[in-house]
């Protein structure tokens, strides 16, 4: 026996035990490799004193090592080092120990482990490594109980040949798990020595056994001519016996059941066969070539029709179209979100590649698939592979007010061959994203001509002087500018009030220079035509009453939505347009005011000029206006004018970029007279400097009178007023 006083090991030479034991803990804790703190001891190679005299007999016995921790219970732990860890050990009187600092992180073990788990099962490990080798993983140098880095056999480590595969073999050598940490690979799996491989790429590095293509004949399949019952069945579906014979439609008996046999032929030879029973259940001959049904009928055809089922192919022939084929495998549930795979991996549509020599000669391919969602998904998948530029599509006629016919055979049955022929002759070009024809917009052009949508000619501003110059059209962008304190914002507010009164439009206001209460006051004064207060500017006029105020607040709430950034940061144009989009959808607003441009956040990339930024920003604003049929007024200040003599600025004077005038639909300059000698001080000049759409206006100047008390703008006889002012009193 071995007695261990605290921090000291004593070995009794009379011990007959083949085990070396250190006592002092409730459990015997088993070390996996010789390692212990320096204050303890680790016994490496002590021979049993009671063993046979032969040293070879002693060495052949299994050496089992137990250790006892003589520290207090809270320090009672096992320090186990990984296998093959090279530690420098010191020997003294036959003992060896390892310094504590060289030990790995301790692993606590709660219960006594069985001795069998401490030793690698060589048989298991050998079988496991053979299985790994079969799937491409070289585990010859991998040690059990460790994580090993290897080159992934799936992705080969990419261009850098990195060791991205992490392989862990269990301590007994009986199981392994692996994961490739390259994002483009991600291969992972697991296996046991005596179990199958569970892997995301279990067939990796194996040559897939490709079954040879069978040679079949009508005799080998047991096919026979159609019986009278099946001929009657086809007759009900408007398919004649002549069409059936030309397409070699036959039957096959299986016990008491008879199935329709659609024979697939290439160059007159049978290459495959598809069956259909009375319950509309389909199956095909295995290990046969995948081709179109009716392939020989498009051998030299420049126009090809592709349908979804064999019955539709036969129906097309009844309508006079023999240049028609059917897909062999039906339709997918939806269009794949992935790119079209390479030819050798495109298994679902392998029949397309097998028939490439036939389809590549066609200049026009009409996709007459079913009208249901899977049928339309099939048309898209075919167009992706055949090329949309040479594809056409058909629109099945209506069955009733709510339903459309599903396929060619249904049209033939209910409407006859002439109707089916008309459907094919009226096929239209397959849509290509971004490429259109005017016929796609004929309905919109008709609505424009008959003015059935409303506001095609624009909405009057409410001022006679502007009726010939500027009218408001949904979906356009108007840039408004003018020198400071010229009344740009006031004029837009008055315009909005007029539009609300005349046609009931609603608006979203992003006015960064106005406090909400002040903006509300200005709008209410224009709406009620009374001053908000009875002091200073309105002391001689009756102010808005409390009843009018309450009614006015309801009007504000119903007519306007506010877009405001409540924190200290500046709003970006994307933020404004997103909220405006919500206002259009939620509140039905017809117009958006962004006032002014310089109060927005205009952060741009370092390599982008202000001109480029303004161009992109205005493009976003115009797209928003057009998409949501919402008119946008955008206020932009002119840059600092040198040697200004009091006249209205030009649109090209706007600070930032000439794109403000280049990209807008309408450009307006608001100018207030500041020279008493030039005319009345309440005279406002509205300079229409750009009108893209001649239907709604033209370039010119209009004059309005501004009422400072109520904020209203009104028409005046400007000709008489100016001539009178020039003549003097």
């Amino acid at each position: 026996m071995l007695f261990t006083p605290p921090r000291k090991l004593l070995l009794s030479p009379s011990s007959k035990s083949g085990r070396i034991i250190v006592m002092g803990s409730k459990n015997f804790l088993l070390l996996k490799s010789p390692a212990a703190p320096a204050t303890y001891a680790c016994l490496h190679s002590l021979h049993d004193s009671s063993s046979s005299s032969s040293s070879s007999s002693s060495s052949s016995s299994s050496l089992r090592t137990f250790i006892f921790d003589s520290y207090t219970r809270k320090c009672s732990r096992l320090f186990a080092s990984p296998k093959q860890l090279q530690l420098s050990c010191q020997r003294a009187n036959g003992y060896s120990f390892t310094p504590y600092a060289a030990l790995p992180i301790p692993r606590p073990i709660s219960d006594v482990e069985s001795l069998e788990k401490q030793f690698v099962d060589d048989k298991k490990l050998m079988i496991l490594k053979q299985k790994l080798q079969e799937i491409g993983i070289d585990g010859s140098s991998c040690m059990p109980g460790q994580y090993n880095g290897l080159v992934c056999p799936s992705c080969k480590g990419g261009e850098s040949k990195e060791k991205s595969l992490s392989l862990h073999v269990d301590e007994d050598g009986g199981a392994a798990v692996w994961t490739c940490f390259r994002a483009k690979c991600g291969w992972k799996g697991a296996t046991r020595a005596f179990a199958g491989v569970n892997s995301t790429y279990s067939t990796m590095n194996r040559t897939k056994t490709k079954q040879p293509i069978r040679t079949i004949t009508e005799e080998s399949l047991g096919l026979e001519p159609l019986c009278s019952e099946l001929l009657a069945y086809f007759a009900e579906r408007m398919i004649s016996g002549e069409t059936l014979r030309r397409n070699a439609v036959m039957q096959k008996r299986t016990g008491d059941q008879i199935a329709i046999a659609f024979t697939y032929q290439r160059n007159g030879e049978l290459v495959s066969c598809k069956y259909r029973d009375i319950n509309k259940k389909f199956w095909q001959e295995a290990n046969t070539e995948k081709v179109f049904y009716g392939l020989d009928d498009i051998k030299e055809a420049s126009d090809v029709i592709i349908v979804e089922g064999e019955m539709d192919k036969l129906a097309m022939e009844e309508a006079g179209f023999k240049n028609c084929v059917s897909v062999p495998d039906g339709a997918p549930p939806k269009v794949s979100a992935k790119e079209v795979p390479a030819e050798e991996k495109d298994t679902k549509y392998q029949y397309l590649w097998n028939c490439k020599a036939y389809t590549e000669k066609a200049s026009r391919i009409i996709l007459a698939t079913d009208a249901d969602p899977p049928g339309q998904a099939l048309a898209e998948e075919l167009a992706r592979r055949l090329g949309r530029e040479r594809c056409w599509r058909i629109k099945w006629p209506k069955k009733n007010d709510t339903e459309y016919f599903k396929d060619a055979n249904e049209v033939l049955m209910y409407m006859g061959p002439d109707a089916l022929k008309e459907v094919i002759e009226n096929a239209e070009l397959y849509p290509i994203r971004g490429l259109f024809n005017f016929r796609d917009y004929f309905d919109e052009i008709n609505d424009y001509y008959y003015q059935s949508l409303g506001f095609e000619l624009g909405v009057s501003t409410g001022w006679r002087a502007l009726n010939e110059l500027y009218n408001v059209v949904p979906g356009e962008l108007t840039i408004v500018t003018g020198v400071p304190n010229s009344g740009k914002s006031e004029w837009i507010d008055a315009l909005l009030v007029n539009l609300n009164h005349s046609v009931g439009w609603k608006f979203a206001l992003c006015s960064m220079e106005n406090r909400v209460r002040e903006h509300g006051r200005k709008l209410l004064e224009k709406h009620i035509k009374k001053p908000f207060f009875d002091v200073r500017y309105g002391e001689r006029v009756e102010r808005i009453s409390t009843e009018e105020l309450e009614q006015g607040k309801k009007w504000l709430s119903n007519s306007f939505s506010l877009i405001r950034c409540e924190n200290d940061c500046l709003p970006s144009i994307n933020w404004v347009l997103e909220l405006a989009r919500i206002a259009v959808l939620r509140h039905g607003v017809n117009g958006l005011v962004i006032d002014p441009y310089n109060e927005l956040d205009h952060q741009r990339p370092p390599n982008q000029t202000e001109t480029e930024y303004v161009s992109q920003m205005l493009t976003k604003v115009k797209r928003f206006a057009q998409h949501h049929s919402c008119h946008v007024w955008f206020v932009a200040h002119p840059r600092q004018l040198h040697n200004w003599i009091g006249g209205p600025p030009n649109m090209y004077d706007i600070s930032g970029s000439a794109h403000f005038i280049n990209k807008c639909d309408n450009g307006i300059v608001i100018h207030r007279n500041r020279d008493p000698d030039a005319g009345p001080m309440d005279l406002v000049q509205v300079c229409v400097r750009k009108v893209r759409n001649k239907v709604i206006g033209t370039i010119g100047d209009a004059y309005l009178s501004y009422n400072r008390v109520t904020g209203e703008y009104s028409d005046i006889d400007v000709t008489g007023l100016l001539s009178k002012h020039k003549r003097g009193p």
Side-chain angles (χ1 to χ4, degrees):
M1 292 293 293
L2 176 67
F3 301 95
T4 57
R7 304 180 183 246
K8 187 173 181 181
L9 292 177
L10 297 175
L11 180 67
S12 172
S14 63
S15 173
K16 296 182 180 181
S17 172
R19 301 175 180 176
I20 300 169
I21 301 176
V22 181
M23 302 179 63
S25 174
K26 288 199 308 183
N27 298 326
F28 295 117
L29 304 179
L30 180 65
L31 274 181
K32 297 179 182 175
S33 65
T39 53
Y40 309 158
C42 183
L43 305 180
H44 281 275
S45 57
L46 296 176
H47 297 286
D48 191 340
S49 61
S50 62
S51 62
S52 63
S53 60
S54 171
S55 61
S56 62
S57 174
S58 172
S59 61
S60 63
S61 62
S62 299
L63 178 62
R64 293 180 176 137
T65 306
F66 287 83
I67 195 163
F68 165 71
D69 186 343
S70 62
Y71 277 112
T72 57
R73 288 184 61 186
K74 70 177 182 178
C75 295
S76 178
R77 298 188 179 171
L78 173 69
F79 294 84
S81 64
K83 282 183 170 48
Q84 304 303 314
L85 182 65
Q86 299 299 322
L87 301 174
S88 58
C89 301
Q90 301 176 357
R91 292 185 175 271
N93 298 325
Y95 304 107
S96 65
F97 67 91
T98 304
Y100 183 77
L103 292 171
I105 298 175
R107 177 177 65 87
I109 300 179
S110 58
D111 297 310
V112 177
E113 294 184 2
S114 62
L115 294 176
E116 288 75 15
K117 289 186 178 180
Q118 306 312 307
F119 301 97
V120 176
D121 188 321
D122 292 336
K123 182 179 179 181
K124 282 185 179 180
L125 183 60
M126 180 182 67
I127 295 174
L128 181 68
K129 289 185 176 182
Q130 288 178 351
K131 295 186 71 172
L132 293 174
Q133 190 69 37
E134 289 177 359
I135 59 174
I137 300 177
D138 182 9
S140 58
S141 61
C142 296
M143 300 304 301
Q146 297 184 13
Y147 285 92
N148 304 271
L150 305 172
V151 175
C152 176
S154 175
C155 65
K156 310 299 181 184
E159 296 181 357
S160 61
K161 307 298 181 183
E162 61 179 316
K163 294 183 177 181
S164 57
L165 186 76
S166 175
L167 173 68
H168 182 268
V169 179
D170 279 3
E171 295 156 352
D172 65 348
V177 294
W178 61 88
T179 300
C180 178
F181 290 98
R182 288 190 72 243
K184 293 183 178 180
C185 179
W187 178 40
K188 57 185 177 182
T191 188
R192 292 183 176 275
F194 299 105
V197 176
N198 181 16
S199 167
T200 58
Y201 204 90
S202 59
T203 59
M204 209 287 307
N205 221 28
R206 293 177 180 174
T207 302
K208 185 176 180 180
T209 303
K210 187 175 181 180
Q211 296 294 330
I213 298 298
R214 291 169 54 202
T215 299
I216 58 176
T217 62
E218 294 179 4
E219 293 76 13
S220 65
L221 298 181
L223 303 184
E224 56 187 31
L226 293 172
C227 63
S228 58
E229 290 83 357
L230 288 181
L231 289 173
Y233 168 79
F234 280 106
E236 290 178 357
R237 306 186 74 89
M238 305 291 289
I239 308 297
S240 66
E242 181 183 352
T243 298
L244 295 172
R245 285 189 294 272
R246 200 189 77 82
N247 288 275
V249 181
M250 306 184 77
Q251 69 179 34
K252 182 174 182 177
R253 296 180 183 271
T254 305
D256 296 334
Q257 300 293 327
I258 299 178
I260 300 171
F262 296 104
T263 57
Y264 283 65
Q265 301 189 21
R266 181 200 288 269
N267 296 325
E269 295 183 359
L270 184 64
V271 296
S272 184
C273 191
K274 185 176 178 180
Y275 304 100
R276 170 179 170 165
D277 64 12
I278 58 175
N279 298 318
K280 205 176 178 180
K281 178 182 177 182
F282 293 91
W283 69 95
Q284 299 185 44
E285 289 291 339
N287 302 327
T288 55
E289 186 181 10
K290 291 283 188 180
V291 295
F292 281 119
Y293 177 66
L295 181 61
D296 287 346
D297 289 338
I298 64 168
K299 190 170 185 179
E300 300 295 335
S302 59
D303 285 8
V304 171
I305 303 172
I306 300 179
V307 294
E308 191 173 327
E310 292 81 6
M311 295 294 289
D312 298 322
K313 147 69 177 168
L314 302 176
M316 285 293 180
E317 187 162 328
E318 294 294 339
F321 300 102
K322 293 183 180 179
N323 56 326
C324 177
V325 292
S326 170
V327 300
D329 293 334
K334 61 180 181 180
V335 179
S336 173
K338 300 179 180 179
E339 294 292 330
V340 176
E343 177 179 340
E344 62 275 8
K345 296 182 179 180
D346 197 11
T347 54
K348 172 67 177 176
Y349 301 94
Q350 195 61 48
Y351 59 87
L352 279 177
W353 306 107
N354 293 341
C355 303
K356 185 177 179 180
Y358 292 77
T359 58
E360 65 182 2
K361 298 177 182 178
S363 58
R364 187 171 76 139
I365 300 175
I366 300 175
L367 305 178
T369 55
D370 290 2
D372 56 12
Q376 297 307 298
L378 174 62
E380 176 63 17
E381 292 290 1
L382 293 175
R384 293 172 70 190
R385 291 161 173 81
L386 296 169
R388 291 182 177 88
E389 67 281 357
R390 60 180 179 142
C391 288
W392 296 60
R393 68 177 182 181
I394 55 91
K395 287 186 177 180
W396 298 114
K398 274 193 170 184
K399 182 184 297 185
N400 50 48
D401 292 340
T402 58
E403 295 180 305
Y404 287 84
F405 286 105
K406 179 177 178 289
D407 53 31
N409 188 232
E410 199 170 60
V411 173
L412 176 67
M413 291 173 60
Y414 289 93
M415 300 184 68
D418 292 338
L420 180 55
K421 182 178 180 180
E422 184 178 355
V423 169
I424 300 302
E425 290 175 346
N426 291 332
E428 59 185 26
L429 287 167
Y430 197 85
I432 298 176
R433 187 175 183 180
L435 183 62
F436 303 95
N437 188 283
F438 264 112
R439 70 170 63 92
D440 301 323
Y441 297 91
F442 281 170
D443 291 341
E444 185 177 339
I445 292 173
N446 288 338
D447 291 336
Y448 190 38
Y449 176 81
Y450 294 107
Q451 302 177 39
S452 56
L453 298 177
F455 312 128
E456 286 85 0
L457 303 182
V459 181
S460 172
T461 62
W463 298 298
R464 294 189 309 273
L466 278 170
N467 282 343
E468 298 299 321
L469 302 179
Y470 172 67
N471 289 271
V472 182
V473 177
E476 290 190 349
L477 169 63
T478 297
I479 299 294
V480 181
T481 190
V483 297
N485 201 31
S486 58
K488 300 182 292 295
S489 300
E490 287 274 7
W491 179 80
I492 291 177
D493 286 346
L495 174 60
L496 303 187
V497 172
N498 289 350
L499 293 173
N500 176 266
H501 289 175
S502 62
V503 293
W505 277 16
K506 298 180 180 181
F507 306 95
L509 306 176
C510 181
S511 182
M512 281 78 76
E513 291 185 335
N514 277 319
R515 298 174 66 179
V516 173
R517 65 183 188 181
E518 293 176 356
H519 204 174
R521 170 184 63 78
K522 295 176 183 179
L523 291 169
L524 286 174
E525 287 177 341
K526 294 173 175 59
H527 172 61
I528 302 175
K529 305 183 187 308
K530 290 182 180 180
F532 197 81
F533 297 111
D534 56 2
V535 296
R536 297 183 182 87
Y537 74 97
E539 60 184 355
R540 297 182 181 181
V541 181
E542 180 185 0
R543 71 180 295 198
I544 295 174
S545 66
T546 55
E547 293 81 4
E548 291 170 332
L549 176 62
E550 292 304 317
Q551 294 176 359
K553 288 192 295 184
K554 291 181 181 179
W555 173 78
L556 285 175
S557 179
N558 294 332
S559 304
F560 299 95
S561 299
L562 300 177
I563 298 176
R564 301 187 68 84
C565 194
E566 297 298 332
N567 50 28
D568 294 336
C569 64
L570 296 175
S572 67
I573 191 63
N574 291 333
W575 182 82
V576 172
L577 294 179
E578 174 59 20
L579 289 176
R581 182 188 68 85
I582 296 172
V584 170
L585 300 176
R586 176 175 291 186
H587 303 297
V589 303
N590 310 96
L592 167 66
V593 177
I594 304 175
D595 181 14
Y597 160 78
N598 63 317
E599 290 291 336
L600 294 173
D601 182 12
H602 299 299
Q603 294 186 21
R604 63 179 190 271
N607 60 343
Q608 187 181 49
T609 65
E610 185 176 14
T611 298
E612 294 170 338
Y613 166 77
V614 170
S615 176
Q616 292 182 7
M617 178 197 67
L618 292 177
T619 297
K620 292 179 182 178
V621 175
K622 289 188 66 176
R623 286 179 178 172
F624 164 82
Q626 294 169 359
H627 183 73
H628 296 285
S629 192
C630 178
H631 196 102
V632 179
W633 291 271
F634 203 147
V635 178
H637 296 314
R639 61 178 177 267
Q640 186 176 358
L641 302 177
H642 299 285
N643 304 319
W644 181 56
I645 59 175
N650 193 284
M651 291 292 293
Y652 287 103
D653 292 327
I654 296 177
S655 177
S657 171
H659 282 302
F660 281 104
I661 181 64
N662 296 337
K663 289 213 163 189
C664 69
D665 297 297
N666 311 290
I668 294 177
V669 178
I670 303 297
H671 184 66
R672 181 173 62 84
N673 180 40
R674 288 171 171 78
D675 184 4
D677 297 332
M681 297 296 290
D682 60 356
L683 188 66
V684 175
Q685 184 179 359
V686 181
C687 309
V688 180
R689 292 292 176 258
K690 180 181 179 181
V691 177
R692 190 188 301 276
N693 182 5
K694 68 179 182 180
V695 173
I696 63 103
T698 187
I699 295 173
D701 292 350
Y703 294 88
L704 302 174
S705 176
Y706 174 65
N707 186 336
R708 186 170 181 270
V709 176
T710 62
E712 296 176 90
Y713 289 79
S714 58
D715 286 298
I716 59 172
D717 182 7
V718 65
T719 304
L721 183 63
L722 292 179
S723 61
K724 178 181 177 182
H725 188 79
K726 290 180 180 179
R727 293 195 303 268

